[in-house]
Amino acid sequence: MSLDTDDEILQDFLVEAGEILEALSGQLVELEQRPDDLDLLNAIFRGFHTIKGGAGFLQLNALVDCCHIAENVFDMLRKQDRAVTSELMDTMLNALDTVNTMFDQVRQGQEPEPATPELLAALERLTLAEDEVSAAEPTAADDTADSGDETAESEEDTAESEEDTAESEEDTAESEEDTADSTHDDEDLSAGNEPTMNEGSEPGEPGEDITDDEFEQLLDALESGKQEKKGSKATKSAPAASDSADSGGGDSDSGGGDSDSGGGDSDSGSGASDEEISEEEFEKLLDQLHGEGRFDPAKTLAGEAAASLEDEATPAPEKPKPNKSKKAASSEQASKAGDDDEITDDEFEALLDKLHGSGKFDSAVSDKYDQDTIRQVTQAAEEHRAERDDVAAKADAAAPEADKVEKKTPAPAEKSTAKADSKAQKPAEPAATAPPAAAKPAPAAAPKGGGTPEKAPIQQDTTVRVDTKRLDDIMNMVGELVLVRNRLVRLSEAGDDDETTKAVSNLDVVTTDLQNSVMKTRMQPIKKVFGRFPRVVRDLARSLKKEINLELVGEDTDLDKNLVEALADPLVHLVRNSVDHGIELPDVREQQGKPRTGKVVLSAEQEGDHIMLSIRDDGGGMDAGKLKTLAVERGVMDQDSADRLSDKDAFNLIFAPGFSTKTEISDVSGRGVGMDVVKTKISQLNGFIDIDSKVGEGTTIRIKVPLTLAIMPTLMVTLGEQAFALPLVNVDEIFHLDLTKTNVVDNKEVVIVRGKPLPLFYLKRWLIKGAVTHGEESGHVVVVSVGTQKVGFVVDQLVGQEEVVIKPLGKTLIGTAGMAGATITGDGRIALILDVPSMLKEYA
Amino acid sequence: MSIQATKSSEDDPILQWVTFRLADESYGINVMQVQEVLRYTDIAPVPGAPGYVLGIINLRGNVVTVIDTRDRFGLPSEEVTDNTRIVIIESDGQVIGIMVDAVAEVVYLKQSEIETAPNVGNDDTSRFIQGVCHKNDQLLILVDLDKLLSDDEWQEIAEL
């Protein structure tokens, strides 16, 4: 079966899960360093859970299975039923790899292949044991091979008995859950008031069909179910779950239900996540409240509200259950669990909308809000009040519940206010809308929920996903604006109208600001690239049996998205190099009086309009002498030139094509991306790479890249009438030259600069048809460097330094030798941007 | 090439053609492919570009390649006059300017009025001709832009 890759939900999931997977790999490695970090554990747990949820919705059962078990393991870890060990981490990283593989398959539109039974079994083993069992079991298995002594056995005994206890606890919990389940089912059957209950896609019957009695009944049933729920949680003493249960306990049922369902949502996350969730819920609740009036004016407000909340509560707490009762949760169960989750979300949404519009509720809730809100809300409320006075009593009865919810979420309440605010204004219009309207939001929300079922709790910022293409377009347009501005600036300089000058300088400022902010939208923290390194280094170090500490500095440095992507490969290569060739084996290090653990520091910082990246290791360093000898041996250069090289130049030899100091290619480095490719890549980004090393102390590689690729600093020159832009990265210096004082060596013009001969070329002869360049007595020379080579270009005029927006040449002209693109100058004319290396290749 | 029908009267759709003059002949291009018509502006030559490329122009911030239609049709080049126009066309996803002596009008032609071009051998010009139309004692040569601009054709020209 192939998957429909055009499916929006799937795409959402891919984006979402892709990001999570990326983060997970970093978090897992981090976890190994800080095994007791509860926040981290929770984050990882949530990560797996979110992927599972999404996958479940999309029925990617293989993925669900794998994530589910992984999630279980982390559930145990965070409950401290199990300790983080290297072996465990290996298995988990393995699991992550498997998930990644499946994910790639999904991305390619294939059904993911199930994880290998071995992996599943290994994971299963990790989840099975609880408390000491967990420690005992794997250890026991391992030990048996070695010593196979009684200790292990006796430990196992203890373990077993404890496991029994655990199981019996679970049983209790399960039976309780059953009750909850059945209540939930009952209600589902009788009420059918869950628009999204049925998979979230088909809006069910709106709840208006339900009678008061039914609601009452349900309420009761749910209440009892709830109580049991809480009980079971307490028994299980899941810290976070009981947290929410506790907080819920004192409150009214609806409040408790709310918090519980939140617990289910976030999988009883830490305190922090609890808060977030409550905020979410709170918002939803508000929605819900607003929807009420529109939905069903005269009836059962309180009852319905409570019941619907209860509704929510029931499926939600049910969720953690299958997870905890793990044993062998089938894929079905798992996916169901995932679905439940989403449905819960959606249901919430739906209910919220239903309730939306109830003036009573609004006002009740808004009591807690600042006065503005109150005013707005009350206004809306008044309208409704007039319409349905008889609702008042019931609504008021419901009010305390809202209050309680509020109480539980004191911190986020402020934030919610704003949201409530906007929503509170709504009731006026849809006040008496027909029920179908209320049901509508549910299906709309459903697909979204599928893709990003639980994104919200993790990321509470309001963000919008924007296509990169769109950003590029905006960037382009801003580029145009900058050009127009430049023209205007020039024009206003020519005239002397004060007003115009003022307006133009104003425009100047605004445009610059706009340009900067648009640039920022494209910026991404370099964390995105750095994030993969802990894993890379860890795996490498383990396979090479080295001890290496990776330090990341300046992860938050922002740079252009394209750059972030383009830098990934070169950086991976360089880091691998450092680990493989740089850092010595622990024993060797000890002999040299260094700490056994090697250090690799990866850092990024902004330097003006550039980003400076550096990879520093405290390994063996490079021997300049050896490099020179090798260079001669490989025929890269002759002995004489090799002898003349400074140490620094010698280090740069490693960037020469066909130069590798390692005699054999290990499977670690030497994977095809040679150092020359790294260098080429960096140069393509208009960047520099520089290397510094000391034998015995280590090597530092520095990479300097511009902040953005869209704008290029250039030196504008003119040849005849036409303007050309030389990328500033290539330009070394400019000077005025008496052209009569040149020498001719080997039929080439040469000028001596500071004692060194510099080949001289007349750009005009190359680039302007029929240009006459003889007989000129003096000219401007631009010294450019290409690789290690330096040449001088004679140009007619130097215009100055200018930042230009690169415009690609059309299809017919792309690939024209020596041309990197075109740009539009301040006066609206076109200037060609020269590609110095390719130009030299073509003409010199 | 897709021929856009503006009005369809059963089997005989009416097509609109922008006519331009080159040397002493009238040519027509499908109006759906024409984006705009510009007066002659300074064209920045591109060193190293093929001979039929006059250079590039700034079209409101976009860089557009301009080709020399005379060169393409094997006609001797002429001085730029007041009537010289650059017709911006879109073909095969790329925007290109073609420089012509003058742009005349938009004519409506019925599909049935278009005759296949007389085969006059392997002439440069005939290569890009889609058909001819005889109307009001004038011969209108209809140009197939996609052929005019396609890479194979360029290749062949380059090899000649």
Side-chain angles (χ1 to χ4, degrees):
Chain A
M1 179 188 120
S2 72
L3 298 160
D4 179 11
T5 40
D6 293 333
D7 189 350
E8 222 173 274
I9 301 171
L10 182 61
Q11 287 308 325
D12 272 353
F13 168 71
L14 287 176
V15 173
E16 200 76 44
E19 277 170 13
I20 294 170
L21 282 173
E22 227 163 79
L24 273 179
S25 122
Q27 287 166 337
L28 280 176
V29 178
E30 219 175 300
L31 183 68
E32 207 171 12
Q33 318 282 322
R34 297 185 278 130
D36 299 325
D37 190 333
L38 205 61
D39 285 348
L40 195 58
L41 275 168
N42 279 319
I44 296 172
F45 177 83
R46 270 199 306 271
F48 275 112
H49 181 75
T50 308
I51 297 174
K52 187 185 82 176
F57 187 82
L58 293 161
Q59 320 235 297
L60 305 168
N61 291 338
L63 200 51
V64 171
D65 283 350
C66 197
C67 288
H68 175 68
I69 299 191
E71 182 189 325
N72 286 345
V73 174
F74 282 103
D75 191 33
M76 300 188 56
L77 285 174
R78 66 184 189 157
K79 281 190 270 165
Q80 276 151 23
D81 289 347
R82 183 171 252 299
V84 177
T85 61
S86 293
E87 287 74 27
L88 181 137
M89 288 313 296
D90 277 342
T91 317
M92 291 325 293
L93 285 169
N94 203 344
L96 182 67
D97 285 342
T98 312
V99 172
N100 265 317
T101 317
M102 290 183 199
F103 187 68
D104 284 341
Q105 285 164 342
V106 174
R107 192 180 303 209
Q108 281 153 25
Q110 299 162 353
E111 186 77 2
E113 278 168 30
T116 56
E118 293 85 45
L119 176 65
L120 287 179
L123 287 167
E124 198 75 26
R125 210 171 40 241
L126 292 173
T127 60
L128 268 183
E130 286 196 275
D131 297 329
E132 286 118 271
V133 189
S134 60
E137 248 195 348
T139 331
D142 289 345
D143 281 355
T144 339
D146 299 330
S147 43
D149 49 25
E150 299 118 60
T151 346
E153 268 170 46
S154 71
E155 246 179 86
E156 255 176 317
D157 282 346
T158 338
E160 261 166 45
S161 67
E162 264 181 58
E163 198 172 13
D164 283 344
T165 334
E167 263 172 41
S168 68
E169 272 175 27
E170 254 168 39
D171 285 345
T172 338
E174 259 162 48
S175 69
E176 279 162 356
E177 199 209 340
D178 283 346
T179 335
D181 247 352
S182 60
T183 39
H184 164 63
D185 285 344
D186 283 348
E187 163 203 314
D188 207 359
L189 290 171
S190 63
N193 68 333
E194 292 304 324
T196 42
M197 201 60 215
N198 318 324
E199 277 305 317
S201 50
E202 331 161 1
E205 284 298 298
E208 61 165 349
D209 303 338
I210 302 156
T211 65
D212 287 8
D213 283 348
E214 266 172 315
F215 266 111
E216 228 87 358
Q217 217 180 319
L218 282 170
L219 200 66
D220 289 343
L222 285 164
E223 252 170 74
S224 59
K226 177 131 310 302
Q227 236 76 58
E228 279 163 5
K229 208 80 273 239
K230 280 172 203 155
S232 84
K233 275 190 180 157
T235 330
K236 295 210 80 192
S237 73
S242 67
D243 260 348
S244 56
D246 284 350
S247 63
D251 294 337
S252 86
D253 290 314
S254 92
D258 202 26
S259 100
D260 268 357
S261 77
D265 253 344
S266 76
D267 289 286
S268 355
S270 65
S273 67
D274 263 350
E275 239 176 48
E276 283 157 31
I277 290 148
S278 325
E279 187 186 341
E280 277 284 300
E281 286 161 14
F282 188 61
E283 192 191 333
K284 285 171 186 158
L285 183 70
L286 285 174
D287 272 329
Q288 216 169 3
L289 298 172
H290 292 312
E292 178 80 48
R294 139 162 63 124
F295 175 62
D296 190 5
K299 204 167 47 157
T300 65
L301 273 188
E304 186 177 343
S308 19
L309 282 170
E310 290 295 348
D311 265 354
E312 300 311 321
T314 323
E318 188 183 79
K319 231 241 79 209
K321 226 33 198 311
N323 294 345
K324 277 171 201 152
S325 64
K326 55 209 70 162
K327 289 281 127 121
S330 74
S331 70
E332 255 178 65
Q333 249 177 315
S335 73
K336 214 172 157 200
D339 284 349
D340 272 351
D341 239 350
E342 286 143 25
I343 290 161
T344 315
D345 272 357
D346 296 339
E347 280 163 18
F348 254 125
E349 218 116 29
L351 283 165
L352 306 186
D353 281 301
K354 254 193 270 175
L355 294 166
H356 192 307
S358 147
K360 296 300 155 200
F361 267 87
D362 284 345
S363 56
V365 173
S366 59
D367 277 343
K368 304 274 183 198
Y369 295 156
D370 56 77
Q371 301 211 316
D372 276 2
T373 325
I374 293 179
R375 236 175 285 131
Q376 278 161 340
V377 171
T378 333
Q379 222 180 341
E382 220 87 78
E383 287 175 43
H384 304 304
R385 225 179 249 142
E387 284 172 27
R388 24 194 135 78
D389 270 344
D390 56 328
V391 184
K394 276 175 184 175
D396 281 342
E401 282 165 14
D403 282 357
K404 264 153 206 155
V405 177
E406 171 110 23
K407 233 180 261 159
K408 284 172 54 230
T409 60
E414 264 174 37
K415 283 187 199 165
S416 312
T417 314
K419 288 164 188 159
D421 188 1
S422 67
K423 275 167 189 143
Q425 295 175 34
K426 274 190 213 159
E429 26 175 290
T433 328
K440 225 190 272 166
K448 248 190 218 162
T452 58
E454 289 180 339
K455 183 68 181 173
I458 300 163
Q459 194 184 336
Q460 54 182 331
D461 303 335
T462 341
T463 53
V464 178
R465 272 182 205 287
V466 182
D467 200 352
T468 334
K469 173 78 173 49
R470 194 164 293 180
L471 282 183
D472 287 342
D473 288 347
I474 296 175
M475 193 68 203
N476 222 349
M477 284 186 271
V478 170
E480 298 315 321
L481 190 61
V482 170
L483 292 174
V484 175
R485 189 234 11 222
N486 289 352
R487 283 176 76 171
L488 267 178
V489 169
R490 275 194 199 194
L491 285 176
S492 74
E493 275 167 5
D496 47 19
D497 182 356
D498 243 19
E499 287 298 307
T500 318
T501 318
K502 264 186 206 160
V504 168
S505 63
N506 230 338
L507 177 73
D508 195 13
V509 172
V510 174
T511 316
T512 312
D513 284 353
L514 179 64
Q515 191 183 2
N516 286 337
S517 3
V518 171
M519 293 259 253
K520 273 199 196 113
T521 61
R522 291 169 50 96
M523 295 292 198
Q524 279 187 328
I526 195 149
K527 203 184 278 167
K528 228 173 156 184
V529 186
F530 278 12
R532 69 176 74 176
F533 287 115
R535 174 79 193 276
V536 169
V537 171
R538 177 198 182 268
D539 286 0
L540 266 184
R542 260 180 93 88
S543 74
L544 293 168
K545 305 213 164 29
K546 289 180 180 177
E547 289 169 25
I548 291 169
N549 223 334
L550 177 72
E551 223 174 88
L552 300 177
V553 182
E555 283 175 285
D556 291 327
T557 312
D558 282 337
L559 70 167
D560 194 278
K561 184 183 182 306
N562 296 345
L563 268 175
V564 170
E565 278 154 19
L567 277 173
D569 281 346
L571 278 181
V572 168
H573 187 76
L574 292 173
V575 169
R576 278 168 170 275
N577 263 354
S578 283
V579 173
D580 189 19
H581 308 304
I583 305 284
E584 313 93 329
L585 289 169
D587 291 344
V588 179
R589 288 182 66 87
E590 220 158 41
Q591 279 168 24
Q592 292 173 348
K594 293 188 198 173
R596 282 180 69 86
T597 309
K599 198 162 98 178
V600 177
V601 183
L602 195 54
S603 72
E605 59 178 321
Q606 189 171 345
E607 265 186 10
D609 57 353
H610 278 77
I611 293 284
M612 180 68 98
L613 297 165
S614 79
I615 299 124
R616 194 170 71 237
D617 67 61
D618 65 347
M622 292 192 296
D623 185 345
K626 201 169 144 199
L627 285 169
K628 287 181 194 172
T629 323
L630 269 164
V632 177
E633 270 172 31
R634 303 265 157 93
V636 178
M637 55 176 58
D638 55 42
Q639 188 66 49
D640 282 352
S641 15
D643 288 344
R644 280 201 301 272
L645 287 180
S646 68
D647 278 3
K648 193 130 185 167
D649 290 339
F651 296 141
N652 277 311
L653 280 173
I654 63 165
F655 295 119
F659 194 92
S660 169
T661 48
K662 264 240 157 158
T663 28
E664 81 273 27
I665 289 168
S666 70
D667 67 336
V668 174
S669 35
R671 286 191 170 202
V673 192
M675 286 297 258
D676 62 318
V677 178
V678 170
K679 170 121 186 180
T680 319
K681 196 101 191 226
I682 303 290
S683 323
Q684 276 170 6
L685 304 173
N686 295 318
F688 295 109
I689 188 160
D690 178 57
I691 192 161
D692 207 357
S693 183
K694 254 196 180 150
V695 177
E697 285 181 26
T699 307
T700 305
I701 294 172
R702 283 187 206 87
I703 297 173
K704 199 174 166 191
V705 287
L707 269 179
T708 171
L709 291 176
I711 288 181
M712 187 194 241
T714 59
L715 176 70
M716 280 284 184
V717 300
T718 59
L719 304 169
E721 290 289 291
Q722 222 182 324
F724 289 88
L726 281 162
L728 214 56
V729 277
N730 296 114
V731 177
D732 270 7
E733 59 178 314
I734 44 182
F735 58 85
H736 195 75
L737 179 72
D738 184 350
L739 289 175
T740 53
K741 289 197 178 150
T742 58
N743 308 321
V744 175
V745 178
D746 194 16
N747 222 0
K748 278 180 189 159
E749 268 192 279
V750 164
V751 64
I752 307 294
V753 181
R754 287 188 287 276
K756 281 191 175 178
L758 180 78
L760 211 55
F761 297 104
Y762 289 85
L763 275 189
K764 225 172 164 180
R765 287 186 204 160
W766 290 353
L767 303 177
I768 305 289
K769 262 187 215 159
V772 189
T773 50
H774 296 287
E776 285 165 34
E777 291 192 343
S778 64
H780 299 278
V781 176
V782 181
V783 181
V784 299
S785 59
V786 181
T788 49
Q789 205 189 353
K790 280 190 186 187
V791 297
F793 289 142
V794 181
V795 299
D796 285 357
Q797 291 283 329
L798 295 168
V799 178
Q801 197 177 321
E802 210 164 291
E803 305 232 314
V804 301
V805 182
I806 304 166
K807 307 271 174 191
L809 294 172
K811 210 166 150 195
T812 13
L813 288 177
I814 216 145
T816 305
M819 300 300 139
T823 189
I824 290 150
T825 58
D827 55 4
R829 285 173 43 188
I830 283 200
L832 285 161
I833 302 168
L834 299 176
D835 177 358
V836 178
S838 106
M839 187 170 63
L840 280 177
K841 214 165 140 194
E842 172 76 10
Y843 296 98
Chain B
M1 175 181 143
S2 66
I3 294 172
Q4 295 285 335
T6 48
K7 273 183 258 166
S8 165
S9 53
E10 291 303 311
D11 297 336
D12 199 5
I14 292 176
L15 305 163
Q16 294 180 57
W17 300 84
V18 175
T19 66
F20 62 85
R21 294 194 72 80
L22 213 53
D24 291 324
E25 294 294 342
S26 284
Y27 296 86
I29 42 179
N30 193 324
V31 79
M32 297 309 289
Q33 286 187 293
V34 177
Q35 282 196 345
E36 60 186 303
V37 178
L38 306 175
R39 283 181 180 280
Y40 178 82
T41 58
D42 272 346
I43 299 175
V46 178
Y52 50 79
V53 175
L54 282 168
I56 48 180
I57 55 163
N58 168 17
L59 177 64
R60 289 187 300 279
N62 286 314
V63 173
V64 175
T65 312
V66 180
I67 62 167
D68 188 351
T69 324
R70 279 180 163 265
D71 183 285
R72 200 78 175 98
F73 284 8
L75 301 165
S77 55
E78 276 271 320
E79 282 291 302
V80 171
T81 68
D82 250 10
N83 287 328
T84 304
R85 294 287 183 275
I86 297 168
V87 183
I88 305 294
I89 54 169
E90 197 197 329
S91 157
D92 204 12
Q94 52 172 329
V95 176
I96 270 192
I98 56 173
M99 196 165 92
V100 299
D101 287 356
V103 169
E105 55 178 338
V106 176
V107 295
Y108 292 79
L109 298 181
K110 284 194 189 127
Q111 181 79 58
S112 57
E113 288 174 310
I114 299 170
E115 300 151 30
T116 49
N119 195 351
V120 285
N122 203 13
D123 197 35
D124 276 349
T125 322
S126 65
R127 207 186 297 274
F128 320 113
I129 290 173
Q130 188 183 338
V132 292
C133 173
H134 208 85
K135 211 176 182 185
N136 305 336
D137 280 341
Q138 273 199 327
L139 187 73
L140 187 64
I141 304 164
L142 305 178
V143 182
D144 185 340
L145 281 177
D146 290 338
K147 269 195 192 152
L148 183 74
L149 302 169
S150 79
D151 282 342
D152 319 344
E153 299 292 326
W154 286 134
Q155 215 71 50
E156 276 176 51
I157 290 289
E159 282 162 13
L160 284 177

